[in-house]
Amino acid sequence: MEAPPERAALSEAESRQFAGLALLDRLASQPGAYHAALLEGDDAFLEPVFDTLLREDLVAIGADDRYRLTPLGGRAYQRLLHQQQSYLAHFDIFAAVDLGEGTFAEPGQDYLDDPRWSDLRVAVAEHKGIDPYRMVFLSMLAGGSFFENAGWKFDLALGSSFFAELQEIVQSQIAQDELAYTDEDGTAVSGQDVLEDVILQGAELNRQRLAEQRRRLAEHPPEREDDDAPAPANGAGAAGDAASGDGGGLPARLEPYDPVPPAAAYAGGATFVEPIWLAPHW
């Protein structure tokens, strides 16, 4: 079997966009945290990223000389949230697949370091036409642990070890062609056939898990102090907190993400992808 084609390298332009998205995420949760004229110490690593966001009209400097999201930046942040939620709802299941048994790891039950598990998230993304770098970046950003690293500001600088690690992760993942095999009858099974079967099985299991989750929530709904308050996401506060004095900031209410795509399209083939993945970064 021929070696799978080498994946393209992470481009500088995409690295800049990822850095900008990470900073949008931070500004949404900490509006006004950065003063435009006082980027000192580790904050100085963010200056090129802020310059990019300013040029793209994603952030603005308010009357208090602090950076805040513009309406355009708020919409880009909401799209980022939906992509993160889509990743968790539809793609995370492919992080641990037993190709021999045709099974998927059970969260909280299976030991994920077991060598029987194969990580097919990048292969699934490529099959669906999704940029694998975006997929891995979102998996690193989802959950908020990225900002727990004391050096996260340096990580957003071009040429940092973070982007080198991102490229290494993507380049090292299993490719579709590597999944091809010959069965006991001597029949060749293509990697595409294997991957499409895995995707459809994973999609069905995701639906079952989501239905069970919704059943449990219906039986034991979480307590909420204010049903009219917009639900915070990724640590973001209420929309009004993020708005600048010039009228920018997050949308008045973050649109909810529905993890159930059109059933017929989702079940009809392994190439279905939610439109949010095909949109530009901003």
Side-chain angles (χ1 to χ4, degrees):
M1 182 181 67
E2 296 183 2
E6 185 176 347
R7 293 182 172 103
L10 177 64
S11 69
E12 182 176 307
E14 193 159 33
S15 296
R16 291 183 188 276
Q17 289 181 322
F18 289 156
L21 290 171
L23 195 49
L24 288 181
D25 189 303
R26 192 64 168 178
L27 285 175
S29 62
Q30 296 185 355
Y34 299 99
H35 195 288
L38 296 175
L39 291 179
E40 300 176 343
D42 289 348
D43 287 354
F45 292 117
L46 301 178
E47 188 167 1
V49 188
F50 275 120
D51 289 344
T52 297
L53 296 179
L54 281 168
R55 287 196 304 271
E56 298 289 341
D57 192 30
L58 297 166
V59 300
I61 301 173
D64 57 358
D65 290 330
R66 294 185 176 275
Y67 291 106
R68 284 181 171 81
L69 301 183
T70 63
L72 184 63
R75 290 193 293 274
Y77 169 68
Q78 179 165 290
R79 186 160 55 247
L80 171 66
L81 284 183
H82 284 183
Q83 288 177 346
Q84 289 177 318
Q85 292 165 327
S86 176
Y87 162 76
L88 293 172
H90 301 299
F91 294 91
D92 196 43
I93 192 172
F94 301 109
V97 181
D98 186 332
L99 291 167
E101 297 294 330
T103 57
F104 300 80
E106 288 291 338
Q109 298 182 25
D110 289 313
Y111 179 63
L112 299 184
D113 287 337
D114 191 310
R116 70 190 177 103
W117 301 119
S118 296
D119 189 341
L120 301 183
R121 287 174 293 181
V122 166
V124 170
E126 290 175 326
H127 185 77
K128 291 176 175 289
I130 297 173
D131 173 17
Y133 288 109
R134 189 194 304 203
M135 171 70 70
V136 175
F137 166 74
L138 287 172
S139 71
M140 299 170 80
L141 193 62
S145 60
F146 174 83
F147 299 107
E148 295 174 2
N149 173 16
W152 71 267
K153 296 172 185 176
F154 173 76
D155 286 344
L156 298 185
L158 291 181
S160 73
S161 59
F162 170 76
F163 291 113
E165 178 186 358
L166 176 57
Q167 176 167 295
E168 182 180 352
I169 290 173
V170 171
Q171 296 284 3
S172 65
Q173 296 306 301
I174 296 173
Q176 173 179 285
D177 291 348
E178 295 178 271
L179 300 174
Y181 69 96
T182 302
D183 65 17
E184 296 178 352
D185 298 328
T187 302
V189 180
S190 70
Q192 177 175 328
D193 287 342
V194 172
L195 190 59
E196 289 183 351
D197 184 55
V198 168
I199 291 173
L200 293 177
Q201 288 186 53
E204 177 58 31
L205 182 55
N206 269 331
R207 281 195 292 271
Q208 294 173 9
R209 289 178 176 178
L210 180 60
E212 175 61 20
Q213 179 184 4
R214 286 180 166 174
R215 183 191 65 79
R216 291 197 302 266
L217 285 174
E219 293 178 353
H220 306 284
E223 296 182 2
R224 293 184 59 179
E225 296 181 359
D226 183 0
D227 288 338
D228 294 327
N234 251 24
D241 295 335
S244 72
D246 300 326
L250 297 181
R253 177 182 290 270
L254 292 176
E255 296 177 6
Y257 169 74
D258 185 355
V260 183
Y266 200 41
T271 57
F272 174 80
V273 59
E274 293 176 283
I276 54 173
W277 290 101
L278 305 179
H281 292 298
W282 52 62

